[in-house]
Amino acid sequence: MGLLSNTLLLLSTLLLTHSCYSAHEHTTTTSRLTPTSLPLDILLETIIGASLLCATIVLSNNQLRPIAHRVWAGKLEREVGAGPWGQLDERVGFLNIRTKRADFAEFVKAEGRS
Amino acid sequence: MSLLKQILDHLQKHPQPLKTPASSFQLARFAPAFLQSSDSHKDTQETWLVYEQLLLACLCVEDDVSASKLLHTLEQRFGSQRSRIQALKGLYDEAQATDDRELVEVLRWYEKLLQEDPTNLAIEKRRIALLTSLNRRTDAIAALVNLLSHSPTDAEAWAQLAELYRQQGLYQQSIYSLEEVILITPNAYNIFARLGETYYIASPNDPEQLADAVRHFCRAVELCEWYLRGWYGLRLVTGRILKEGQGMKGKEGLDRAKTERLYHVAGERLKTIVRRAKKGDKGWTGFDKGEVLAAEQLVKEGE
């Protein structure tokens, strides 16, 4: 998380907290007999604080994954070679260890020759 | 970065570490250092996952010293009565066996454990794997059918049955088993590709079967837009349909024009994959080199 996103998060949290506190103060200090609506600056502070907080959280997180299955699975296939159902191809529960060891012995022989 | 984090990072970048001897070796070389490090004494879920993966890799590359140490620690932590630990111990014994007689002893041990506890799924699977390894394929298939009769939602078991049937040449049964896997995991595009391949292998001259193969490959690439086997299969089967001039007229939804379009789209996709994989672009390094070469060959043949 960069310095800018951390600063913006702190700022927006402070704004939101301050606006909530101001709203609370306003409702407790104004008398019940002359009701007034919430002052404009508190409203603006709440809106700005909330939207800045949401925007910073979303934009600072770069671990977002694609939504469409076809795009996400395609990304996995081309980046790491196996998708979420790779274990249906590998089937580790039925692993044939003797053929794996034989393959490895051949691999070592081939590497030794080359 | 701690060694544990390094290994977990490696496992994330290579999710099928036992696929080839080279990839098993890449993982197994972490084992001696891991056993020496303090990370191996932590008691977290990640540590034990790494233990299991390293054990499998070490057994594949014949590093039996590290394998026995890893197995011993697992047994001490979880006890040797747990089915998963028993399966790992069985795997270790199978790897150490030098002749058929010793393998039959391991088989007897599996059967004894199954008599004591018939619900031991891990040992049932190991028994089936050992029967396959001993070339007793009919016994393996019978045992697997028995497993599936009491555990019908095990996709891995259905996939294994499909493979065993395919090896025996029983393609219709193989197709049935693959369809059972699809019922359990409907988005498994690799199984759709296998279905297409099995339809193609089963009857390469029957236009209806080829049309079904095309449909399965289309579904596979619909679910995963860069699935090399899917595009390869699509190009191969549509190429065969166009070449043999099979009577595709009147077949619902698959006429000559559509087949040609699919053929060309598959060709374009394969060319993109081959070009970017060979260049080694970032985000395109996951393809298997052999598969990329085969795709290049197929596209060249079609030109």
Side-chain angles (χ1 to χ4, degrees), chain A residues 69-70 77-78 81 83 85-86 89 91-93 95-96 98 100-101 104, chain B residues 16 18 59 61 64 126 133 156 160 189-190 194 222-223 225 283 285-286:
Chain A
H69 186 285
R70 133 188 98 73
E77 280 286 331
R78 62 180 167 77
W85 288 281
D89 284 330
R91 299 186 294 273
V92 176
L95 188 67
N96 192 340
R98 289 170 64 223
K100 290 279 178 192
R101 284 166 82 93
F104 182 73
Chain B
Q16 289 185 324
L18 308 178
L59 285 175
V61 304
D64 299 329
R126 285 281 6 117
S133 184
E156 189 188 46
Q160 180 72 5
Y189 50 86
N190 47 346
R194 268 187 204 269
E222 194 183 343
L223 288 167
E225 59 180 0
T285 49

PDB file of all heavy atoms in Angstrom, chain A residues 69-70 77-78 81 83 85-86 89 91-93 95-96 98 100-101 104, chain B residues 16 18 59 61 64 126 133 156 160 189-190 194 222-223 225 283 285-286:
ATOM      1  N   HIS A  69     -15.841 -15.828 -16.079  1.00  0.00           N
ATOM      2  CA  HIS A  69     -15.150 -17.112 -15.876  1.00  0.00           C
ATOM      3  C   HIS A  69     -14.152 -17.374 -16.986  1.00  0.00           C
ATOM      4  O   HIS A  69     -13.027 -17.811 -16.745  1.00  0.00           O
ATOM      5  CB  HIS A  69     -16.188 -18.230 -15.822  1.00  0.00           C
ATOM      6  CG  HIS A  69     -15.611 -19.558 -15.476  1.00  0.00           C
ATOM      7  ND1 HIS A  69     -14.884 -20.305 -16.383  1.00  0.00           N
ATOM      8  CD2 HIS A  69     -15.612 -20.275 -14.337  1.00  0.00           C
ATOM      9  CE1 HIS A  69     -14.482 -21.417 -15.809  1.00  0.00           C
ATOM     10  NE2 HIS A  69     -14.916 -21.429 -14.568  1.00  0.00           N
ATOM     11  N   ARG A  70     -14.589 -17.050 -18.220  1.00  0.00           N
ATOM     12  CA  ARG A  70     -13.749 -17.366 -19.366  1.00  0.00           C
ATOM     13  C   ARG A  70     -12.469 -16.547 -19.317  1.00  0.00           C
ATOM     14  O   ARG A  70     -11.396 -17.055 -19.657  1.00  0.00           O
ATOM     15  CB  ARG A  70     -14.614 -17.117 -20.615  1.00  0.00           C
ATOM     16  CG  ARG A  70     -14.097 -16.387 -21.724  1.00  0.00           C
ATOM     17  CD  ARG A  70     -15.193 -16.112 -22.742  1.00  0.00           C
ATOM     18  NE  ARG A  70     -15.726 -14.790 -22.564  1.00  0.00           N
ATOM     19  CZ  ARG A  70     -15.080 -13.691 -22.893  1.00  0.00           C
ATOM     20  NH1 ARG A  70     -13.876 -13.763 -23.408  1.00  0.00           N
ATOM     21  NH2 ARG A  70     -15.606 -12.526 -22.686  1.00  0.00           N
ATOM     22  N   GLU A  77      -4.727 -20.107 -17.049  1.00  0.00           N
ATOM     23  CA  GLU A  77      -4.102 -21.054 -17.979  1.00  0.00           C
ATOM     24  C   GLU A  77      -2.843 -20.473 -18.595  1.00  0.00           C
ATOM     25  O   GLU A  77      -1.814 -21.144 -18.667  1.00  0.00           O
ATOM     26  CB  GLU A  77      -5.075 -21.438 -19.106  1.00  0.00           C
ATOM     27  CG  GLU A  77      -6.087 -22.478 -18.725  1.00  0.00           C
ATOM     28  CD  GLU A  77      -5.509 -23.875 -18.603  1.00  0.00           C
ATOM     29  OE1 GLU A  77      -4.518 -24.190 -19.288  1.00  0.00           O
ATOM     30  OE2 GLU A  77      -6.041 -24.661 -17.803  1.00  0.00           O
ATOM     31  N   ARG A  78      -2.901 -19.204 -19.029  1.00  0.00           N
ATOM     32  CA  ARG A  78      -1.707 -18.684 -19.708  1.00  0.00           C
ATOM     33  C   ARG A  78      -0.635 -18.224 -18.741  1.00  0.00           C
ATOM     34  O   ARG A  78       0.527 -18.168 -19.102  1.00  0.00           O
ATOM     35  CB  ARG A  78      -2.073 -17.586 -20.712  1.00  0.00           C
ATOM     36  CG  ARG A  78      -2.709 -16.374 -20.156  1.00  0.00           C
ATOM     37  CD  ARG A  78      -3.015 -15.389 -21.277  1.00  0.00           C
ATOM     38  NE  ARG A  78      -3.905 -14.339 -20.825  1.00  0.00           N
ATOM     39  CZ  ARG A  78      -3.536 -13.309 -20.091  1.00  0.00           C
ATOM     40  NH1 ARG A  78      -2.259 -13.182 -19.775  1.00  0.00           N
ATOM     41  NH2 ARG A  78      -4.404 -12.415 -19.691  1.00  0.00           N
ATOM     42  N   GLY A  81      -0.430 -22.111 -16.196  1.00  0.00           N
ATOM     43  CA  GLY A  81      -0.547 -23.389 -16.891  1.00  0.00           C
ATOM     44  C   GLY A  81      -1.634 -24.312 -16.393  1.00  0.00           C
ATOM     45  O   GLY A  81      -1.881 -25.341 -17.000  1.00  0.00           O
ATOM     46  N   GLY A  83      -5.694 -24.432 -14.484  1.00  0.00           N
ATOM     47  CA  GLY A  83      -6.818 -23.691 -13.942  1.00  0.00           C
ATOM     48  C   GLY A  83      -7.293 -24.294 -12.636  1.00  0.00           C
ATOM     49  O   GLY A  83      -6.615 -25.106 -12.027  1.00  0.00           O
ATOM     50  N   TRP A  85      -9.431 -26.525 -12.066  1.00  0.00           N
ATOM     51  CA  TRP A  85      -9.775 -27.949 -12.092  1.00  0.00           C
ATOM     52  C   TRP A  85      -8.592 -28.791 -12.514  1.00  0.00           C
ATOM     53  O   TRP A  85      -8.742 -29.857 -13.083  1.00  0.00           O
ATOM     54  CB  TRP A  85     -10.981 -28.176 -13.016  1.00  0.00           C
ATOM     55  CG  TRP A  85     -12.205 -27.640 -12.382  1.00  0.00           C
ATOM     56  CD1 TRP A  85     -12.953 -28.222 -11.416  1.00  0.00           C
ATOM     57  CD2 TRP A  85     -12.788 -26.361 -12.609  1.00  0.00           C
ATOM     58  NE1 TRP A  85     -13.965 -27.391 -11.037  1.00  0.00           N
ATOM     59  CE2 TRP A  85     -13.895 -26.251 -11.746  1.00  0.00           C
ATOM     60  CE3 TRP A  85     -12.489 -25.292 -13.455  1.00  0.00           C
ATOM     61  CZ2 TRP A  85     -14.691 -25.114 -11.711  1.00  0.00           C
ATOM     62  CZ3 TRP A  85     -13.289 -24.184 -13.416  1.00  0.00           C
ATOM     63  CH2 TRP A  85     -14.372 -24.099 -12.549  1.00  0.00           C
ATOM     64  N   GLY A  86      -7.404 -28.280 -12.238  1.00  0.00           N
ATOM     65  CA  GLY A  86      -6.198 -29.028 -12.581  1.00  0.00           C
ATOM     66  C   GLY A  86      -6.110 -30.351 -11.864  1.00  0.00           C
ATOM     67  O   GLY A  86      -5.560 -31.309 -12.395  1.00  0.00           O
ATOM     68  N   ASP A  89      -7.114 -33.426 -13.669  1.00  0.00           N
ATOM     69  CA  ASP A  89      -6.149 -33.987 -14.609  1.00  0.00           C
ATOM     70  C   ASP A  89      -5.028 -34.692 -13.876  1.00  0.00           C
ATOM     71  O   ASP A  89      -4.528 -35.717 -14.317  1.00  0.00           O
ATOM     72  CB  ASP A  89      -5.534 -32.872 -15.482  1.00  0.00           C
ATOM     73  CG  ASP A  89      -6.493 -32.408 -16.558  1.00  0.00           C
ATOM     74  OD1 ASP A  89      -7.306 -33.232 -17.010  1.00  0.00           O
ATOM     75  OD2 ASP A  89      -6.416 -31.230 -16.947  1.00  0.00           O
ATOM     76  N   ARG A  91      -4.981 -35.803 -10.498  1.00  0.00           N
ATOM     77  CA  ARG A  91      -5.539 -36.894  -9.665  1.00  0.00           C
ATOM     78  C   ARG A  91      -4.503 -37.447  -8.694  1.00  0.00           C
ATOM     79  O   ARG A  91      -4.064 -38.597  -8.807  1.00  0.00           O
ATOM     80  CB  ARG A  91      -6.114 -38.010 -10.542  1.00  0.00           C
ATOM     81  CG  ARG A  91      -7.249 -37.534 -11.428  1.00  0.00           C
ATOM     82  CD  ARG A  91      -7.863 -38.707 -12.153  1.00  0.00           C
ATOM     83  NE  ARG A  91      -6.935 -39.305 -13.103  1.00  0.00           N
ATOM     84  CZ  ARG A  91      -6.782 -38.914 -14.365  1.00  0.00           C
ATOM     85  NH1 ARG A  91      -7.490 -37.903 -14.826  1.00  0.00           N
ATOM     86  NH2 ARG A  91      -5.927 -39.509 -15.138  1.00  0.00           N
ATOM     87  N   VAL A  92      -4.113 -36.603  -7.733  1.00  0.00           N
ATOM     88  CA  VAL A  92      -3.047 -36.980  -6.804  1.00  0.00           C
ATOM     89  C   VAL A  92      -3.470 -38.152  -5.923  1.00  0.00           C
ATOM     90  O   VAL A  92      -2.629 -38.940  -5.491  1.00  0.00           O
ATOM     91  CB  VAL A  92      -2.665 -35.753  -5.950  1.00  0.00           C
ATOM     92  CG1 VAL A  92      -1.634 -36.124  -4.923  1.00  0.00           C
ATOM     93  CG2 VAL A  92      -2.124 -34.673  -6.828  1.00  0.00           C
ATOM     94  N   GLY A  93      -4.764 -38.317  -5.651  1.00  0.00           N
ATOM     95  CA  GLY A  93      -5.233 -39.439  -4.836  1.00  0.00           C
ATOM     96  C   GLY A  93      -4.906 -40.782  -5.465  1.00  0.00           C
ATOM     97  O   GLY A  93      -4.761 -41.792  -4.782  1.00  0.00           O
ATOM     98  N   LEU A  95      -2.188 -41.268  -7.468  1.00  0.00           N
ATOM     99  CA  LEU A  95      -0.848 -41.106  -8.005  1.00  0.00           C
ATOM    100  C   LEU A  95      -0.130 -42.444  -8.200  1.00  0.00           C
ATOM    101  O   LEU A  95      -0.056 -43.246  -7.269  1.00  0.00           O
ATOM    102  CB  LEU A  95      -0.041 -40.230  -7.033  1.00  0.00           C
ATOM    103  CG  LEU A  95       1.328 -39.772  -7.462  1.00  0.00           C
ATOM    104  CD1 LEU A  95       1.218 -38.819  -8.620  1.00  0.00           C
ATOM    105  CD2 LEU A  95       2.048 -39.107  -6.315  1.00  0.00           C
ATOM    106  N   ASN A  96       0.406 -42.671  -9.404  1.00  0.00           N
ATOM    107  CA  ASN A  96       1.149 -43.893  -9.691  1.00  0.00           C
ATOM    108  C   ASN A  96       2.618 -43.581  -9.482  1.00  0.00           C
ATOM    109  O   ASN A  96       3.309 -43.115 -10.396  1.00  0.00           O
ATOM    110  CB  ASN A  96       0.874 -44.336 -11.127  1.00  0.00           C
ATOM    111  CG  ASN A  96       1.369 -45.742 -11.381  1.00  0.00           C
ATOM    112  OD1 ASN A  96       2.210 -46.257 -10.652  1.00  0.00           O
ATOM    113  ND2 ASN A  96       0.851 -46.361 -12.427  1.00  0.00           N
ATOM    114  N   ARG A  98       5.281 -45.338  -9.017  1.00  0.00           N
ATOM    115  CA  ARG A  98       6.352 -46.085  -9.683  1.00  0.00           C
ATOM    116  C   ARG A  98       6.617 -45.535 -11.080  1.00  0.00           C
ATOM    117  O   ARG A  98       7.771 -45.414 -11.493  1.00  0.00           O
ATOM    118  CB  ARG A  98       5.993 -47.564  -9.722  1.00  0.00           C
ATOM    119  CG  ARG A  98       6.069 -48.189  -8.333  1.00  0.00           C
ATOM    120  CD  ARG A  98       5.487 -49.574  -8.311  1.00  0.00           C
ATOM    121  NE  ARG A  98       6.239 -50.489  -9.136  1.00  0.00           N
ATOM    122  CZ  ARG A  98       5.707 -51.388  -9.958  1.00  0.00           C
ATOM    123  NH1 ARG A  98       4.405 -51.495 -10.045  1.00  0.00           N
ATOM    124  NH2 ARG A  98       6.466 -52.199 -10.654  1.00  0.00           N
ATOM    125  N   LYS A 100       6.087 -42.474 -11.974  1.00  0.00           N
ATOM    126  CA  LYS A 100       6.714 -41.153 -11.780  1.00  0.00           C
ATOM    127  C   LYS A 100       8.208 -41.309 -11.529  1.00  0.00           C
ATOM    128  O   LYS A 100       9.027 -40.555 -12.073  1.00  0.00           O
ATOM    129  CB  LYS A 100       6.080 -40.424 -10.586  1.00  0.00           C
ATOM    130  CG  LYS A 100       4.674 -39.956 -10.818  1.00  0.00           C
ATOM    131  CD  LYS A 100       4.632 -38.662 -11.588  1.00  0.00           C
ATOM    132  CE  LYS A 100       3.211 -38.242 -11.848  1.00  0.00           C
ATOM    133  NZ  LYS A 100       3.065 -37.177 -12.786  1.00  0.00           N
ATOM    134  N   ARG A 101       8.585 -42.300 -10.700  1.00  0.00           N
ATOM    135  CA  ARG A 101       9.996 -42.511 -10.411  1.00  0.00           C
ATOM    136  C   ARG A 101      10.729 -43.002 -11.646  1.00  0.00           C
ATOM    137  O   ARG A 101      11.874 -42.605 -11.912  1.00  0.00           O
ATOM    138  CB  ARG A 101      10.150 -43.518  -9.262  1.00  0.00           C
ATOM    139  CG  ARG A 101       9.840 -42.896  -7.909  1.00  0.00           C
ATOM    140  CD  ARG A 101       9.652 -43.957  -6.853  1.00  0.00           C
ATOM    141  NE  ARG A 101      10.897 -44.447  -6.290  1.00  0.00           N
ATOM    142  CZ  ARG A 101      11.468 -43.962  -5.192  1.00  0.00           C
ATOM    143  NH1 ARG A 101      10.929 -42.941  -4.554  1.00  0.00           N
ATOM    144  NH2 ARG A 101      12.577 -44.506  -4.712  1.00  0.00           N
ATOM    145  N   PHE A 104      11.331 -40.129 -13.858  1.00  0.00           N
ATOM    146  CA  PHE A 104      12.411 -39.285 -13.357  1.00  0.00           C
ATOM    147  C   PHE A 104      13.763 -39.898 -13.671  1.00  0.00           C
ATOM    148  O   PHE A 104      14.704 -39.192 -14.057  1.00  0.00           O
ATOM    149  CB  PHE A 104      12.264 -39.047 -11.847  1.00  0.00           C
ATOM    150  CG  PHE A 104      13.328 -38.132 -11.305  1.00  0.00           C
ATOM    151  CD1 PHE A 104      13.287 -36.785 -11.581  1.00  0.00           C
ATOM    152  CD2 PHE A 104      14.373 -38.630 -10.547  1.00  0.00           C
ATOM    153  CE1 PHE A 104      14.262 -35.932 -11.114  1.00  0.00           C
ATOM    154  CE2 PHE A 104      15.353 -37.776 -10.066  1.00  0.00           C
ATOM    155  CZ  PHE A 104      15.303 -36.430 -10.357  1.00  0.00           C
TER     156      PHE A 104
ATOM    157  N   GLN B  16       0.686 -27.351 -10.596  1.00  0.00           N
ATOM    158  CA  GLN B  16       0.750 -28.795 -10.824  1.00  0.00           C
ATOM    159  C   GLN B  16       2.210 -29.221 -10.756  1.00  0.00           C
ATOM    160  O   GLN B  16       2.820 -29.519 -11.787  1.00  0.00           O
ATOM    161  CB  GLN B  16       0.169 -29.158 -12.190  1.00  0.00           C
ATOM    162  CG  GLN B  16      -1.335 -29.004 -12.243  1.00  0.00           C
ATOM    163  CD  GLN B  16      -1.889 -29.492 -13.564  1.00  0.00           C
ATOM    164  OE1 GLN B  16      -1.277 -29.327 -14.604  1.00  0.00           O
ATOM    165  NE2 GLN B  16      -3.050 -30.101 -13.521  1.00  0.00           N
ATOM    166  N   LEU B  18       3.739 -31.903  -9.858  1.00  0.00           N
ATOM    167  CA  LEU B  18       4.161 -33.274 -10.142  1.00  0.00           C
ATOM    168  C   LEU B  18       3.943 -33.644 -11.601  1.00  0.00           C
ATOM    169  O   LEU B  18       4.069 -34.788 -11.983  1.00  0.00           O
ATOM    170  CB  LEU B  18       3.385 -34.258  -9.259  1.00  0.00           C
ATOM    171  CG  LEU B  18       3.414 -33.960  -7.762  1.00  0.00           C
ATOM    172  CD1 LEU B  18       2.567 -34.975  -7.035  1.00  0.00           C
ATOM    173  CD2 LEU B  18       4.834 -33.998  -7.236  1.00  0.00           C
ATOM    174  N   LEU B  59       9.280 -38.105  -3.235  1.00  0.00           N
ATOM    175  CA  LEU B  59       9.084 -39.488  -3.655  1.00  0.00           C
ATOM    176  C   LEU B  59       9.193 -39.609  -5.167  1.00  0.00           C
ATOM    177  O   LEU B  59       9.731 -40.579  -5.683  1.00  0.00           O
ATOM    178  CB  LEU B  59       7.730 -40.006  -3.178  1.00  0.00           C
ATOM    179  CG  LEU B  59       7.645 -40.329  -1.689  1.00  0.00           C
ATOM    180  CD1 LEU B  59       6.234 -40.715  -1.316  1.00  0.00           C
ATOM    181  CD2 LEU B  59       8.596 -41.452  -1.317  1.00  0.00           C
ATOM    182  N   VAL B  61      11.097 -37.808  -7.137  1.00  0.00           N
ATOM    183  CA  VAL B  61      12.478 -37.646  -7.596  1.00  0.00           C
ATOM    184  C   VAL B  61      13.445 -38.557  -6.862  1.00  0.00           C
ATOM    185  O   VAL B  61      14.662 -38.379  -6.930  1.00  0.00           O
ATOM    186  CB  VAL B  61      12.957 -36.173  -7.479  1.00  0.00           C
ATOM    187  CG1 VAL B  61      12.035 -35.257  -8.220  1.00  0.00           C
ATOM    188  CG2 VAL B  61      13.114 -35.752  -6.059  1.00  0.00           C
ATOM    189  N   ASP B  64      14.650 -40.275  -1.138  1.00  0.00           N
ATOM    190  CA  ASP B  64      13.955 -41.030  -0.101  1.00  0.00           C
ATOM    191  C   ASP B  64      14.355 -40.616   1.303  1.00  0.00           C
ATOM    192  O   ASP B  64      13.583 -40.788   2.247  1.00  0.00           O
ATOM    193  CB  ASP B  64      14.197 -42.529  -0.310  1.00  0.00           C
ATOM    194  CG  ASP B  64      13.677 -42.992  -1.651  1.00  0.00           C
ATOM    195  OD1 ASP B  64      12.693 -42.412  -2.113  1.00  0.00           O
ATOM    196  OD2 ASP B  64      14.263 -43.927  -2.230  1.00  0.00           O
ATOM    197  N   ARG B 126      -5.684 -45.502  -2.906  1.00  0.00           N
ATOM    198  CA  ARG B 126      -4.308 -46.000  -3.019  1.00  0.00           C
ATOM    199  C   ARG B 126      -4.321 -47.451  -3.499  1.00  0.00           C
ATOM    200  O   ARG B 126      -3.477 -47.854  -4.304  1.00  0.00           O
ATOM    201  CB  ARG B 126      -3.575 -45.948  -1.656  1.00  0.00           C
ATOM    202  CG  ARG B 126      -3.153 -44.614  -1.215  1.00  0.00           C
ATOM    203  CD  ARG B 126      -1.901 -44.019  -1.825  1.00  0.00           C
ATOM    204  NE  ARG B 126      -1.238 -44.684  -2.893  1.00  0.00           N
ATOM    205  CZ  ARG B 126      -1.078 -44.191  -4.121  1.00  0.00           C
ATOM    206  NH1 ARG B 126      -1.590 -43.022  -4.413  1.00  0.00           N
ATOM    207  NH2 ARG B 126      -0.422 -44.849  -5.037  1.00  0.00           N
ATOM    208  N   SER B 133      -1.023 -49.979 -11.045  1.00  0.00           N
ATOM    209  CA  SER B 133       0.425 -50.067 -11.192  1.00  0.00           C
ATOM    210  C   SER B 133       0.876 -51.510 -11.418  1.00  0.00           C
ATOM    211  O   SER B 133       1.838 -51.755 -12.145  1.00  0.00           O
ATOM    212  CB  SER B 133       1.061 -49.488  -9.927  1.00  0.00           C
ATOM    213  OG  SER B 133       2.436 -49.449 -10.034  1.00  0.00           O
ATOM    214  N   GLU B 156     -12.826 -36.698  -8.788  1.00  0.00           N
ATOM    215  CA  GLU B 156     -11.514 -37.260  -9.088  1.00  0.00           C
ATOM    216  C   GLU B 156     -11.629 -38.747  -9.445  1.00  0.00           C
ATOM    217  O   GLU B 156     -10.996 -39.226 -10.397  1.00  0.00           O
ATOM    218  CB  GLU B 156     -10.606 -37.091  -7.862  1.00  0.00           C
ATOM    219  CG  GLU B 156      -9.158 -37.423  -8.105  1.00  0.00           C
ATOM    220  CD  GLU B 156      -8.340 -37.429  -6.813  1.00  0.00           C
ATOM    221  OE1 GLU B 156      -8.808 -38.025  -5.822  1.00  0.00           O
ATOM    222  OE2 GLU B 156      -7.249 -36.882  -6.820  1.00  0.00           O
ATOM    223  N   GLN B 160     -10.693 -40.609 -12.932  1.00  0.00           N
ATOM    224  CA  GLN B 160      -9.766 -41.733 -12.990  1.00  0.00           C
ATOM    225  C   GLN B 160     -10.400 -42.905 -13.725  1.00  0.00           C
ATOM    226  O   GLN B 160      -9.758 -43.578 -14.536  1.00  0.00           O
ATOM    227  CB  GLN B 160      -9.360 -42.149 -11.558  1.00  0.00           C
ATOM    228  CG  GLN B 160      -8.406 -43.294 -11.478  1.00  0.00           C
ATOM    229  CD  GLN B 160      -7.000 -42.935 -11.919  1.00  0.00           C
ATOM    230  OE1 GLN B 160      -6.701 -41.782 -12.215  1.00  0.00           O
ATOM    231  NE2 GLN B 160      -6.131 -43.916 -11.999  1.00  0.00           N
ATOM    232  N   TYR B 189     -13.641 -26.965 -17.775  1.00  0.00           N
ATOM    233  CA  TYR B 189     -13.434 -26.900 -19.227  1.00  0.00           C
ATOM    234  C   TYR B 189     -12.458 -27.968 -19.705  1.00  0.00           C
ATOM    235  O   TYR B 189     -12.542 -28.418 -20.849  1.00  0.00           O
ATOM    236  CB  TYR B 189     -12.937 -25.506 -19.623  1.00  0.00           C
ATOM    237  CG  TYR B 189     -11.777 -25.022 -18.804  1.00  0.00           C
ATOM    238  CD1 TYR B 189     -10.483 -25.342 -19.149  1.00  0.00           C
ATOM    239  CD2 TYR B 189     -11.994 -24.253 -17.671  1.00  0.00           C
ATOM    240  CE1 TYR B 189      -9.429 -24.923 -18.384  1.00  0.00           C
ATOM    241  CE2 TYR B 189     -10.942 -23.835 -16.892  1.00  0.00           C
ATOM    242  CZ  TYR B 189      -9.654 -24.168 -17.252  1.00  0.00           C
ATOM    243  OH  TYR B 189      -8.615 -23.746 -16.493  1.00  0.00           O
ATOM    244  N   ASN B 190     -11.519 -28.382 -18.835  1.00  0.00           N
ATOM    245  CA  ASN B 190     -10.558 -29.406 -19.258  1.00  0.00           C
ATOM    246  C   ASN B 190     -11.264 -30.736 -19.489  1.00  0.00           C
ATOM    247  O   ASN B 190     -10.872 -31.523 -20.361  1.00  0.00           O
ATOM    248  CB  ASN B 190      -9.392 -29.544 -18.278  1.00  0.00           C
ATOM    249  CG  ASN B 190      -9.846 -29.626 -16.841  1.00  0.00           C
ATOM    250  OD1 ASN B 190     -10.981 -29.335 -16.524  1.00  0.00           O
ATOM    251  ND2 ASN B 190      -8.949 -30.015 -15.958  1.00  0.00           N
ATOM    252  N   ARG B 194     -11.540 -33.071 -22.834  1.00  0.00           N
ATOM    253  CA  ARG B 194     -11.327 -34.522 -22.839  1.00  0.00           C
ATOM    254  C   ARG B 194     -12.487 -35.250 -23.503  1.00  0.00           C
ATOM    255  O   ARG B 194     -12.280 -36.224 -24.234  1.00  0.00           O
ATOM    256  CB  ARG B 194     -11.177 -35.039 -21.410  1.00  0.00           C
ATOM    257  CG  ARG B 194      -9.766 -35.077 -20.960  1.00  0.00           C
ATOM    258  CD  ARG B 194      -9.628 -35.733 -19.620  1.00  0.00           C
ATOM    259  NE  ARG B 194      -8.417 -35.260 -19.000  1.00  0.00           N
ATOM    260  CZ  ARG B 194      -7.230 -35.847 -19.131  1.00  0.00           C
ATOM    261  NH1 ARG B 194      -7.121 -36.931 -19.849  1.00  0.00           N
ATOM    262  NH2 ARG B 194      -6.174 -35.344 -18.561  1.00  0.00           N
ATOM    263  N   GLU B 222     -15.329 -21.759 -24.532  1.00  0.00           N
ATOM    264  CA  GLU B 222     -16.281 -20.759 -24.043  1.00  0.00           C
ATOM    265  C   GLU B 222     -16.039 -20.502 -22.558  1.00  0.00           C
ATOM    266  O   GLU B 222     -16.217 -19.385 -22.067  1.00  0.00           O
ATOM    267  CB  GLU B 222     -17.702 -21.303 -24.250  1.00  0.00           C
ATOM    268  CG  GLU B 222     -18.791 -20.289 -24.101  1.00  0.00           C
ATOM    269  CD  GLU B 222     -20.175 -20.914 -24.241  1.00  0.00           C
ATOM    270  OE1 GLU B 222     -20.267 -22.047 -24.773  1.00  0.00           O
ATOM    271  OE2 GLU B 222     -21.128 -20.281 -23.803  1.00  0.00           O
ATOM    272  N   LEU B 223     -15.627 -21.567 -21.833  1.00  0.00           N
ATOM    273  CA  LEU B 223     -15.383 -21.423 -20.404  1.00  0.00           C
ATOM    274  C   LEU B 223     -13.989 -20.912 -20.089  1.00  0.00           C
ATOM    275  O   LEU B 223     -13.739 -20.413 -19.002  1.00  0.00           O
ATOM    276  CB  LEU B 223     -15.585 -22.776 -19.707  1.00  0.00           C
ATOM    277  CG  LEU B 223     -17.042 -23.216 -19.604  1.00  0.00           C
ATOM    278  CD1 LEU B 223     -17.113 -24.672 -19.203  1.00  0.00           C
ATOM    279  CD2 LEU B 223     -17.769 -22.374 -18.574  1.00  0.00           C
ATOM    280  N   GLU B 225     -10.911 -18.827 -22.263  1.00  0.00           N
ATOM    281  CA  GLU B 225     -10.622 -18.315 -23.600  1.00  0.00           C
ATOM    282  C   GLU B 225      -9.214 -18.605 -24.100  1.00  0.00           C
ATOM    283  O   GLU B 225      -8.967 -18.502 -25.290  1.00  0.00           O
ATOM    284  CB  GLU B 225     -10.891 -16.811 -23.649  1.00  0.00           C
ATOM    285  CG  GLU B 225     -10.077 -16.008 -22.675  1.00  0.00           C
ATOM    286  CD  GLU B 225     -10.390 -14.522 -22.770  1.00  0.00           C
ATOM    287  OE1 GLU B 225     -11.236 -14.147 -23.603  1.00  0.00           O
ATOM    288  OE2 GLU B 225      -9.790 -13.752 -22.023  1.00  0.00           O
ATOM    289  N   GLY B 283       2.948 -12.962 -18.594  1.00  0.00           N
ATOM    290  CA  GLY B 283       1.574 -13.442 -18.517  1.00  0.00           C
ATOM    291  C   GLY B 283       1.255 -14.514 -19.533  1.00  0.00           C
ATOM    292  O   GLY B 283       0.121 -14.958 -19.639  1.00  0.00           O
ATOM    293  N   THR B 285       3.587 -17.277 -19.981  1.00  0.00           N
ATOM    294  CA  THR B 285       4.630 -18.280 -19.803  1.00  0.00           C
ATOM    295  C   THR B 285       4.092 -19.580 -19.220  1.00  0.00           C
ATOM    296  O   THR B 285       4.848 -20.483 -18.918  1.00  0.00           O
ATOM    297  CB  THR B 285       5.717 -17.736 -18.858  1.00  0.00           C
ATOM    298  OG1 THR B 285       5.064 -17.202 -17.704  1.00  0.00           O
ATOM    299  CG2 THR B 285       6.535 -16.663 -19.521  1.00  0.00           C
ATOM    300  N   GLY B 286       2.768 -19.695 -19.073  1.00  0.00           N
ATOM    301  CA  GLY B 286       2.235 -20.894 -18.432  1.00  0.00           C
ATOM    302  C   GLY B 286       2.065 -22.080 -19.356  1.00  0.00           C
ATOM    303  O   GLY B 286       1.834 -23.193 -18.910  1.00  0.00           O
TER     304      GLY B 286
END
